[in-house]
């Protein structure tokens, strides 16, 4: 069964550094998402992306965050200047249809540790 | 705004016992509801979904959930727990007008005792 793949599985960075989290969604999917899960807390929506543009973003997704689909397969999340509170598990997800008709398929996540 | 509340952050059952994980939702439109499971160090795996068809939904690994509009609930059950069911379970609601964005509950950690 096709999977969403995320790299790296674990990223350690120093405060103030830029990080790029990478995702390869399922190939025929059109809607892409990033979520994060701070340790011990709920999974939170960050951003959704469709047709090469952001369709919705949460309050968390401030100017430090950006997403990009640089080619036909990758979907990246960039954090420009990381803060300690950005430490979390970041999940990429994709689906073939919006409007909740088809479930989101999640990757295994990237654990980001900011020191 | 939509929201999901999961009662009980931690549930412990004995192997072979009934599993009941509670989820209540708030939505101004007919919701799509989902249960996801997260095993340690893994991503979120879909267990089952409700998208306005049958109110009793069967999922993988013997789990099922019943949509009760009058109670705004979507509780997850399994008749007989197995050790391999130990994981974190998340209930989620999707606003079908918001491009499939999911709103997750706080999660319930299920422990299974031998």
């Amino acid at each position: 069964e096709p999977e969403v793949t995320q790299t790296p599985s674990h990223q350690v960075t120093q405060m103030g550094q830029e990080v790029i989290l990478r995702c390869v969604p399922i190939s025929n999917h059109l809607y892409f998402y990033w979520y994060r899960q701070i340790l011990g807390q709920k999974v939170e929506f960050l951003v959704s992306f469709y047709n090469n543009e952001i369709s919705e973003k949460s309050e968390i997704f401030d100017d430090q965050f950006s997403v990009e689909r640089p080619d036909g397969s990758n979907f990246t999340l960039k954090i420009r200047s990381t803060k300690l509170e950005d430490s979390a598990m970041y999940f990429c997800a994709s689906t073939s249809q919006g409007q909740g008709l088809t479930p989101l398929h999640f990757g295994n996540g990237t654990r980001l540790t900011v020191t | 705004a939509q929201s999901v509340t999961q009662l009980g952050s931690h549930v412990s059952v004995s192997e072979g016992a009934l599993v009941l994980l509670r989820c209540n939702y708030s939505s101004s439109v007919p919701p799509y509801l989902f249960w996801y499971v997260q095993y340690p160090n893994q991503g979120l795996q879909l267990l089952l979904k409700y998208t306005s068809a049958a109110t009793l939904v069967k999922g993988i690994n013997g789990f099922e959930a019943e949509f009760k509009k009058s109670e705004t609930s979507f509780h997850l059950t399994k008749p007989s727990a197995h050790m391999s069911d130990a994981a974190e379970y998340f209930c989620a609601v999707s606003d079908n007008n918001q491009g499939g964005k999911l709103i997750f509950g706080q999660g319930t950690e299920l422990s299974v005792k031998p």
Side-chain angles (χ1 to χ4, degrees):
Chain A
E1 185 177 330
E3 291 181 345
V4 176
T5 57
Q6 291 185 243
T7 55
S9 57
H10 193 181
Q11 174 92 44
V12 181
T13 189
Q14 289 190 323
M15 193 168 53
Q17 296 296 305
E18 174 185 286
V19 293
I20 297 176
L21 309 182
R22 302 181 190 279
C23 170
V24 179
I26 294 174
S27 61
N28 64 343
H29 285 184
L30 302 174
Y31 297 80
F32 313 111
Y33 309 81
W34 283 100
Y35 287 77
R36 80 171 185 189
Q37 184 183 27
I38 295 172
L39 187 64
Q41 298 186 25
K42 69 167 68 177
V43 179
E44 302 173 289
F45 168 78
L46 290 179
V47 65
S48 58
F49 190 87
Y50 171 71
N51 200 26
N52 284 321
E53 60 182 25
I54 290 173
S55 46
E56 187 178 358
K57 58 184 181 179
S58 71
E59 294 175 352
I60 304 167
F61 195 88
D62 62 22
D63 292 344
Q64 294 298 316
F65 290 87
S66 63
V67 289
E68 194 177 29
R69 190 158 161 79
D71 52 43
S73 59
N74 290 285
F75 180 51
T76 61
L77 174 69
K78 181 192 292 185
I79 308 175
R80 192 178 327 160
S81 178
T82 50
K83 303 187 279 272
L84 294 176
E85 53 265 38
D86 293 328
S87 294
M89 181 74 89
Y90 288 82
F91 291 106
C92 173
S94 69
T95 187
S96 56
Q97 299 181 54
Q99 293 83 44
L101 291 169
T102 55
L104 271 60
H105 294 256
F106 286 84
N108 284 344
T110 294
R111 181 171 299 283
L112 176 65
T113 303
V114 183
T115 62
Chain B
Q2 294 181 305
S3 65
V4 172
T5 302
Q6 292 182 240
L7 296 177
S9 58
H10 192 183
V11 170
S12 182
V13 300
S14 297
E15 191 173 20
L18 171 71
V19 175
L20 171 60
L21 304 182
R22 299 178 186 274
C23 172
N24 288 88
Y25 69 91
S26 172
S27 177
S28 58
V29 298
Y32 293 161
L33 294 160
F34 305 82
W35 276 98
Y36 281 84
V37 60
Q38 184 182 28
Y39 298 103
N41 300 315
Q42 293 189 27
L44 297 158
Q45 180 182 358
L46 179 71
L47 271 180
L48 49 80
K49 64 177 181 178
Y50 167 78
T51 55
S52 74
T55 56
L56 181 63
V57 181
K58 294 188 184 298
I60 62 171
N61 301 339
F63 284 93
E64 62 182 37
E66 186 172 8
F67 173 71
K68 291 186 176 181
K69 184 178 179 180
S70 61
E71 299 178 7
T72 61
S73 68
F74 191 56
H75 302 330
L76 182 70
T77 59
K78 182 174 180 177
S80 177
H82 192 271
M83 297 296 291
S84 60
D85 294 328
E88 185 100 21
Y89 291 80
F90 293 93
C91 183
V93 61
S94 171
D95 182 340
N96 55 10
N97 294 316
Q98 289 290 333
K101 181 184 79 175
L102 290 178
I103 304 297
F104 283 88
Q106 303 91 318
T108 298
E109 184 180 355
L110 175 65
S111 301
V112 182
K113 299 175 291 187

